[in-house]
Amino acid sequence: MIIQLDMQSELPIYTQLVNQIIEGIASGRLKPGEPLPSVRSLASDIGINLHTVNKAYTLLKQDEFILVHRQKGVVINPDGMPGITKNYRNKMRGELKPIAAEAICRGMSREQLLLEVERIYQEITQTDKEND
């Protein structure tokens, strides 16, 4: 798993880590049941505080993207990914609304905005096909 963190980003490091792990799952680079590095190991490998990795793993566990086994360690949830819930839809709308609003303010058309979303979706899912 290749993690690329932007230490200059306004996005917290734990959020970048969560986002990259979820993108890895979505793209198929991380498969259900696949182990992730331990908190200590990942923190050491990418040069960040282990509490940052622990926070990211805790959030991923709460959202059911990963499981923590006493014997196997941290693994991608082998039982499948969390479904589309009302809470998820509310969270997604809350995150997309300011992005759409800024796009409108900058003069982007509805079609241009939808095209960008489609491109991002394809970028993630095309990586999945390349890994099969």
Side-chain angles (χ1 to χ4, degrees), residues 1-5 13 16-18 20-21 29-30 37 42 46 48:
M1 180 173 70
I2 298 173
I3 300 290
Q4 295 178 329
L5 300 175
I13 293 171
Q16 292 180 50
L17 194 52
V18 165
Q20 289 194 26
I21 291 172
R29 287 179 279 137
L30 294 172
L42 184 56
I46 58 179
I48 61 175

Side-chain angles (χ1 to χ4, degrees), residues 57-106:
Y57 278 7
T58 298
L59 293 171
L60 289 164
K61 182 181 171 191
Q62 286 173 352
D63 288 342
E64 302 176 2
F65 287 101
I66 64 172
L67 294 178
V68 179
H69 286 274
R70 288 184 183 180
Q71 295 174 331
K72 297 179 183 175
V74 180
V75 297
I76 304 300
N77 190 344
D79 301 326
M81 293 295 112
I84 301 169
T85 63
K86 184 177 180 181
N87 284 343
Y88 169 71
R89 284 188 188 274
N90 289 338
K91 175 185 165 192
M92 184 179 71
R93 287 180 54 86
E95 292 174 359
L96 287 176
K97 198 168 189 173
I99 293 170
E102 184 174 349
I104 293 166
C105 287
R106 291 178 178 267

Side-chain angles (χ1 to χ4, degrees), residues 99-117 119:
I99 293 170
E102 184 174 349
I104 293 166
C105 287
R106 291 178 178 267
M108 185 175 273
S109 71
R110 179 180 181 269
E111 291 74 24
Q112 290 172 315
L113 178 60
L114 293 174
L115 184 61
E116 288 300 321
V117 171
R119 284 183 183 146

